[in-house]
């Protein structure tokens, strides 16, 4: 394991998560998320153990199988986090069996829409405190609080930061301070900007860093490295996750890559950013996780990258999303977007839907749209 003791650190407060502590000058924790279906007990336990062996300080699982959590907890000793989706009330079922609960402020609006957000946050804080859990306020670019959307014009980073600050204030007012914050985007520049702005306003709050939908290696590693180099070198970041599109049996690479990046930063080994980075073909894809509704998604992402390679010198962004949770919103900003349902793939141009196609036929339609887009830009 690389020596990262020389890394600069902001003076954030310590937040205990199971047997680990984030912030407070502790070593930067490295974590990952299971890509298995949580109800598949054997596969999920096997992946948790694999990630632990790879050096994970925390393993996150999805809430798609709350009933399986007691059996999972009985069989693993890892520090566990659970990722809530739209139904925040599931926290009461999962909290007895995990060490941290992650909620997305934007998703709080999808369930019990008439109930004030403050009441929902109070419920989460009470459940977490009663069961000795930490919380993560996880703000994502593609699912920002709808009440913030558009309020800051074209400054999407401000929407993310203000949402995070609002929820920190809510938790503080409730007397619950055992939380960390994440602000994620698929664009490393926005990740850098959002976390620097937040750290300037709330320097004591531990930050979880990551580039969401970083995509397939090696591009996904490069995007993540860019963000981490610019933030960790400034003392920003207490825990990290490298989000790569990988088959289930390779998820441990996220831990290995994360530790390699931290070791390089500590040793002063920085990678230069190509001048044209961000001005060429950019294929983004979400990390393989248990929310993926068809395992063919990973293979599709690889095929999209290969098919689109002829457009490598054009500033075109193609997004391949594996689930309904983030897929619809996080493809809106891409020139071409594919979000994958169980039996079909929804193809989009920006926010406009082109159509829904079977997995085996969507690439043909993607090429048609890509050729049309390139022709329009040449004219």
């Amino acid at each position: 394991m690389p020596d990262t003791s020389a890394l600069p650190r902001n003076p954030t407060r310590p937040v205990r998560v199971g047997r680990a502590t984030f912030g407070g000058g502790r070593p930067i924790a490295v974590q990952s998320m299971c890509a298995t279906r949580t109800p598949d007990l054997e596969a999920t336990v096997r992946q948790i153990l694999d990630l632990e062996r790879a050096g994970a300080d925390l393993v996150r699982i999805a809430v798609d199988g709350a009933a399986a959590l007691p059996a999972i907890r009985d069989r693993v000793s890892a520090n566990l986090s659970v990722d809530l989706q739209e139904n925040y009330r599931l926290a009461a079922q999962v909290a007895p069996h995990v060490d941290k609960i992650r909620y997305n402020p934007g998703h709080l609006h999808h369930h019990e829409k008439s109930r004030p957000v403050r009441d929902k946050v109070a419920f989460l804080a009470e459940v977490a405190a009663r069961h000795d859990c930490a919380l993560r306020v996880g703000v994502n670019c593609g699912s920002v609080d709808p009440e913030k959307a558009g309020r800051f014009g074209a400054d999407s980073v401000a929407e993310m930061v203000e949402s995070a600050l609002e929820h920190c204030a809510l938790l503080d007012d409730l007397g619950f301070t055992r939380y960390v914050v994440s602000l994620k985007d698929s664009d490393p520049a926005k990740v850098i900007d959002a976390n620097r702005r937040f750290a300037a306003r709330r320097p004591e709050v531990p930050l979880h860093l990551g580039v969401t939908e970083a995509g397939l290696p090696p591009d996904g590693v490069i995007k993540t490295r860019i963000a981490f180099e610019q933030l960790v070198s400034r003392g920003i970041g207490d825990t990290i996750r490298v989000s790569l599109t990988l088959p289930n049996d390779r998820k441990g690479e996220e831990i290995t890559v994360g530790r390699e990046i931290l070791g390089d930063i500590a040793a002063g080994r920085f990678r230069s950013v190509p001048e044209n980075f961000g001005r060429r073909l950019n294929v983004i894809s979400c990390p393989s996780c248990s929310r993926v509704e068809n395992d063919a998604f990973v293979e599709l992402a690889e095929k999209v990258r290969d098919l689109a390679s002829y457009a490598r010198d054009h500033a075109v962004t193609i997004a391949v999303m594996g689930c309904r949770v983030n897929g619809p919103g996080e493809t809106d900003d891409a020139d071409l977007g594919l979000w994958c349902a169980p039996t079909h793939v929804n193809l989009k141009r920006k926010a406009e839907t082109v159509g829904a196609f079977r997995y085996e036929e969507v690439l043909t339609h993607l090429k048609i749209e890509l050729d049309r887009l390139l022709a329009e830009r040449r004219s």
Side-chain angles (χ1 to χ4, degrees):
M1 189 175 296
D3 179 12
T4 59
S5 59
L7 288 171
R9 304 298 305 284
N10 277 3
T12 54
R13 65 188 176 210
V15 171
R16 183 174 59 80
V17 181
R19 299 183 312 280
T21 298
F22 299 168
R26 304 303 203 282
I28 295 175
V30 181
Q31 56 181 281
S32 183
M33 182 176 182
C34 282
T36 55
R37 302 285 196 282
T38 307
D40 187 339
L41 180 62
E42 296 303 322
T44 301
V45 167
R46 183 166 58 250
Q47 186 151 90
I48 292 170
L49 295 175
D50 286 346
L51 289 169
E52 264 201 305
R53 280 190 288 270
D57 297 302
L58 179 75
V59 178
R60 184 157 56 111
I61 51 182
V63 77
D64 59 343
L69 283 176
I72 293 171
R73 177 78 281 176
D74 285 344
R75 292 178 57 178
V76 302
S77 60
N79 297 315
L80 295 179
S81 173
V82 73
D83 190 15
L84 296 181
Q85 297 305 329
E86 289 91 341
N87 188 349
Y88 73 97
R89 285 195 168 277
L90 287 174
Q93 297 178 39
V94 304
H97 314 293
V98 298
D99 304 293
K100 187 170 76 165
I101 297 171
R102 181 262 183 177
Y103 79 91
N104 182 332
H107 287 167
L108 288 184
H109 293 262
H110 298 326
H111 184 63
E112 296 181 355
K113 294 182 179 181
S114 62
R115 189 177 187 187
V117 168
R118 187 189 184 283
D119 290 355
K120 299 175 185 179
V121 174
F123 173 82
L124 291 171
E126 189 278 327
V127 167
R130 179 157 37 96
H131 294 286
D132 194 28
C133 287
L135 288 176
R136 170 155 70 101
V137 179
V139 182
N140 267 21
C141 58
S143 50
V144 73
D145 180 343
E147 292 185 356
K148 302 285 186 300
R151 187 184 299 179
F152 301 93
D155 190 354
S156 60
V157 170
E159 294 177 357
M160 295 170 61
V161 173
E162 290 303 317
S163 182
L165 290 170
E166 176 187 70
H167 280 259
C168 290
L170 289 172
L171 289 167
D172 292 342
D173 288 346
L174 292 163
F176 188 94
T177 58
R178 193 177 162 192
Y179 63 84
V180 301
V181 165
S182 64
L183 302 106
K184 295 188 178 184
D185 195 284
S186 59
D187 181 347
K190 290 185 178 180
V191 173
I192 295 164
D193 188 12
N195 283 277
R196 290 185 67 180
R197 290 196 210 183
F198 181 88
R201 300 273 296 275
R202 294 295 305 265
E204 81 286 4
V205 176
L207 280 167
H208 166 118
L209 303 182
V211 177
T212 190
E213 296 101 35
L216 297 157
D219 292 352
V221 176
I222 294 169
K223 294 174 189 176
T224 304
R225 181 178 285 276
I226 290 167
F228 289 2
E229 284 182 351
Q230 297 300 316
L231 293 168
V232 174
S233 63
R234 290 177 167 87
I236 298 172
D238 300 280
T239 178
I240 63 168
R241 189 224 169 159
V242 180
S243 299
L244 299 175
T245 307
L246 292 166
N248 282 10
D249 60 355
R250 292 176 54 195
K251 291 300 285 183
E253 291 179 27
E254 294 188 342
I255 303 297
T256 303
V257 169
R259 295 208 180 277
E260 287 175 353
I261 293 173
L262 292 178
D264 284 346
I265 297 171
R269 294 188 294 267
F270 292 85
R271 308 290 175 89
S272 60
V273 181
E275 255 184 48
N276 61 351
F277 187 86
R279 294 190 292 277
R280 299 181 66 180
L281 176 68
N282 180 27
V283 178
I284 64 175
S285 55
C286 58
S288 42
C289 75
S290 64
R291 294 191 300 262
V292 170
E293 297 179 307
N294 189 324
D295 291 338
F297 152 74
V298 175
E299 183 181 357
L300 178 64
E302 293 171 342
K303 289 179 177 178
V304 168
R305 178 186 60 187
D306 294 342
L307 177 144
S309 62
Y310 70 94
R312 65 174 62 87
D313 294 325
H314 297 268
V316 173
T317 295
I318 303 175
V320 189
M321 298 293 129
C323 73
R324 65 176 176 81
V325 175
N326 296 321
E330 295 186 7
T331 48
D332 281 354
D333 292 331
D335 297 296
L336 296 170
L338 299 88
W339 71 269
C340 304
T343 60
H344 65 275
V345 180
N346 300 279
L347 177 62
K348 298 166 60 180
R349 284 191 64 164
K350 294 291 188 182
E352 179 184 349
T353 299
V354 175
F357 307 99
R358 296 192 305 272
Y359 276 75
E360 62 270 22
E361 65 179 359
V362 71
L363 292 174
T364 300
H365 295 276
L366 173 64
K367 188 174 187 306
I368 292 170
E369 295 302 323
L370 179 55
D371 288 342
R372 184 176 296 160
L373 178 62
L374 296 178
E376 290 171 0
R377 293 189 177 182
R378 284 193 293 266
S379 62

